[in-house]
Amino acid sequence: MFVVLLRLAENKDAAGAHLSGHQEWIRRGLDDGVFLLVGSIKPGPGGAVLAHGVSLAELEKRVNDDPFVAGNVVRAEIIEVAPGMADERLAFLL
């Protein structure tokens, strides 16, 4: 399982130009079953993605395909998490 942090970068003012592509990228990740959860980091310095069922190399390629990453609107950090215990509703992550 992975947590992807998308923190605003130098070209953050270009977000509007890349927004529709970024939203399509999110939809594709959800439709593919790779993204489990996507949301904003509060109070607003970027976003976060919870990803599952993909290798690190596959996720890195997917993240690099995000128009926000390609356009330097955000800087991506991928954190791998090895789940050890979970609430029964999240047992599929173990």
Side-chain angles (χ1 to χ4, degrees):
M1 178 175 72
F2 300 92
V3 176
V4 181
L5 300 177
L6 301 171
R7 299 184 189 274
L8 291 177
E10 297 78 25
N11 202 22
K12 64 185 177 190
D13 293 335
H18 299 283
L19 185 58
S20 64
H22 175 68
Q23 290 172 332
E24 176 55 33
W25 175 81
I26 291 170
R27 277 190 225 93
R28 194 168 45 252
L30 291 167
D31 290 346
D32 291 346
V34 172
F35 296 168
L36 300 177
L37 176 78
V38 179
S40 297
I41 299 173
K42 295 297 182 185
V49 177
L50 183 61
H52 175 68
V54 65
S55 71
L56 177 58
E58 292 167 332
L59 183 58
E60 287 172 334
K61 181 182 179 336
R62 183 179 289 267
V63 167
N64 288 332
D65 288 342
D66 177 3
F68 271 12
V69 172
N72 200 31
V73 173
V74 297
R75 184 175 22 86
E77 177 185 1
I78 299 174
I79 302 166
E80 186 168 6
V81 178
M85 297 185 338
D87 181 280
E88 65 183 42
R89 293 169 291 177
L90 298 176
F92 70 96
L93 295 173
L94 297 175

